[in-house]
Amino acid sequence: MARSEKEKQELLEQAGWSTVRRFLPYLWPKDRPDLRWRIFIAALFVIVAKAIVLSVPFAYARAVDTMADESSEPAMWAAIALVVAYAAGRFATTFFDQTRNMIFNRVGQDAVRGLSEDVFERLHKLSLRFHLSRRTGEITRVIERGTKSISNMIYFLLFNIMPTAIELLVVAVIFYTLFGWEIVAATAVTIVAFIWITQRITEWRTKLRAKMNRLDGQAMSRAVDSLLNYETVKYFGAEERERRRYASSAHAYAEAAIQTDNSLALLNIVQAFILQVMMGVAMAWTVWGWSQGRLSVGDLVLVNTYLLQLFRPLDMLGWVYRTIRQGLVDMAEMFQLMDTGVEVEDVPGAPALVVTRPTLTFDNVHFGYDKDRKILHGLSFDVPAGGNVALVGPSGAGKSTIGRLLFRFYDPWEGRILIDGQDIAQVQQESLRRHIGIVPQDSVLFNDTIGYNIAYGREQASEEAIIRAAQDAAIWPFIEKLPLRLETEVGERGLKLSGGEKQRVAIARTLLKDPPILLLDEATSALDTRTEQDILGTLKRVSAGRTTISIAHRLSTIADSDLIYVIQGGQICEQGNHGELLRHDGLYAEMWTRQLSEEDSLDQAAE
């Protein structure tokens, strides 16, 4: 069940550091000691670099004092040595920082990869109901933002916040030792005020950013939805309507982005004011100490250098905090996807489905997509092994629902579905789907080559097997005429192919899978009459020795079935072969007569 925007925002606000704790196993994997060693070495380099950066201001300050005290050759060489030491220290800091990054990069990327794979796997485990209710563009943007935020959070938590805390402590000790408690107290007050102001403004900005992200996802979702339905937009001349619809989302996003950017400018102004006031006060205090003979010129340089070094990460602290806070929001939203309940799960210790006789039984099955909209009302029927059984009935009778239940996209409310006497709810889903092939009414293809789409039916299939399946599906003559043959791109959702060509690719894909049970859901609905007869002949030939269930609206395509079940109101109302059902003169006979009448009318219109 989809959460409201208010519930979603409350969840994100509650996430906090629990999100970081949830991510830590990806950063510190138990089965990767090599990555743990990399983290240890990187942390060691952080400490070494910070020790060097804290020592170089002394070399700088003493060089200034040496120059101020006297002008002689020994003093010159001493000052040069101190300056060289200062420069070497600065270089060593950069060297250790960059080496640390090179050592740690594999850790960060491995963590991002592991989490991305888990999210991707989780999305495929979620039910069809979830994917029908969520927009693809919105899900894609959530995953993109979540995975991108991980690298930033890892870097800032380990290599910015921790070293900054160490530096604050050490600088406080140095200032107290050399200059007394006054400058330590002033620095502490400044830092506390800086952090408090940064946190308050950033929390306000986080809400603005969350709103901006939501509007960004909405705009992307509408754009993707519109482009995926490109043909429908053209059919209804709705380009301007789609432009207005997208423009409203884009305008709302732009306004939210302006508010977010303006709030950032305000934060930068406040932060700069606090830090520069502290800098001015500290240096003025040092000059006052120099005037009394307590401090040297080098001490002014020392204070200035330390504060500049300290303010550099502090100046970034606002950005770092915003990045981490936003990263928590983005990661929490991604973890929210991972926490979505799996509607259809394997029972613990579920065995694989073993099919020796591909029989199929629906036993008193009750089901509906919503509690107040029941589709199947105690549906029961049997399909014998090797039988050719058809399911017919008026629209909305529940025919396509039977296919979704058979593949366990949903579980029945009541009743059982048995294959070879085994309840499909008690076996592994992967093994169940491996034994069933389907040619759906709407054949959607991957945006890849024809060969890839056919080969999707069986991993590692040889080219000979792919060609044989294409021949059986009566699409090989078409492929042979193409310049690139099997390497021809089909376009997004197969839009470069006609409806009939897409259907035949789907048939070839299923033939290559070679399952013991075939489900044909209006398998020839998009084909012309001549090709339909070719395909029906092929399907009849390849169905030998298999259990075949045909869901059909056009009754002429299933007239030769061994057994026909007529479904009405989610129940079997008639059953028998074609001749028996016509003699019964019931719903099937009425549908047959109506379709014959419609075909005669079309023939007369054509003449």
Side-chain angles (χ1 to χ4, degrees), residues 77-147:
W77 287 112
I80 290 176
L82 290 169
V83 170
V84 170
Y86 174 80
R90 303 289 293 184
F91 170 76
T93 301
T94 302
F95 172 79
F96 281 111
D97 282 344
Q98 297 306 315
T99 305
R100 171 208 69 198
N101 290 343
M102 289 190 291
I103 293 172
F104 189 80
N105 279 340
R106 183 171 296 278
V107 179
Q109 290 300 321
D110 193 83
V112 173
R113 177 192 58 79
L115 180 56
S116 300
E117 288 179 3
D118 284 352
V119 174
F120 185 77
E121 181 183 11
R122 182 70 175 186
L123 287 173
H124 276 289
K125 287 183 178 179
L126 297 180
S127 67
L128 180 63
R129 190 191 310 274
F130 170 84
H131 288 282
L132 292 177
S133 62
R134 293 295 297 264
R135 298 178 182 270
T136 304
E138 182 181 354
I139 293 176
T140 303
R141 187 54 67 91
V142 167
I143 297 174
E144 179 187 0
R145 284 198 302 258
T147 52

Side-chain angles (χ1 to χ4, degrees), residues 351-355 419-420 422 424 427-428 431-435:
L353 176 66
V354 178
V355 178
I419 292 180
D420 197 3
Q422 302 161 71
I424 67 172
V427 301
Q428 297 172 7
S431 66
L432 165 68
R433 293 164 187 154
R434 190 171 62 244
H435 287 88

Side-chain angles (χ1 to χ4, degrees), residues 337-366:
L337 280 179
M338 295 184 67
D339 290 339
T340 303
V342 178
E343 185 175 343
V344 180
E345 289 188 284
D346 289 341
V347 296
L353 176 66
V354 178
V355 178
T356 55
R357 298 185 67 258
T359 60
L360 173 64
T361 300
F362 271 62
D363 180 18
N364 192 34
V365 173
H366 295 257

Side-chain angles (χ1 to χ4, degrees), residues 141 145 208-218 253 256 326 329-330 333:
R141 187 54 67 91
R145 284 198 302 258
L208 296 178
R209 184 64 182 265
K211 177 183 177 182
M212 185 182 75
N213 282 350
R214 177 177 58 81
L215 293 173
D216 183 29
Q218 183 185 79
Y253 167 76
Q326 183 57 43
V329 171
D330 293 337
E333 196 168 2

Side-chain angles (χ1 to χ4, degrees), residues 374-434:
K374 196 171 184 179
I375 305 295
L376 303 182
H377 302 264
L379 180 69
S380 297
F381 66 87
D382 294 299
V383 180
N388 184 2
V389 173
L391 303 174
V392 301
S395 298
K399 302 187 298 298
S400 296
T401 299
I402 292 172
R404 290 176 172 179
L405 290 174
L406 181 59
F407 273 89
R408 273 201 81 192
F409 291 157
Y410 304 93
D411 280 331
W413 295 352
E414 299 178 35
R416 301 182 303 164
I417 303 173
L418 308 175
I419 292 180
D420 197 3
Q422 302 161 71
D423 188 343
I424 67 172
Q426 303 300 317
V427 301
Q428 297 172 7
Q429 296 178 63
E430 186 275 332
S431 66
L432 165 68
R433 293 164 187 154
R434 190 171 62 244

Side-chain angles (χ1 to χ4, degrees), residues 11 97 131 146 160 193 211 256 260 268 354 400 440 476 485 523:
L11 175 66
D97 282 344
H131 288 282
N160 187 281
K211 177 183 177 182
T260 303
N268 289 337
V354 178
S400 296
W476 182 245
R485 301 178 70 167

Side-chain angles (χ1 to χ4, degrees), residues 437-440 454 457 505-515 518 520:
I438 183 172
V439 180
I454 296 177
V505 170
I507 292 171
R509 181 167 57 190
T510 301
L511 294 178
L512 185 63
K513 184 179 181 180
D514 194 25
L518 280 176
L520 309 176

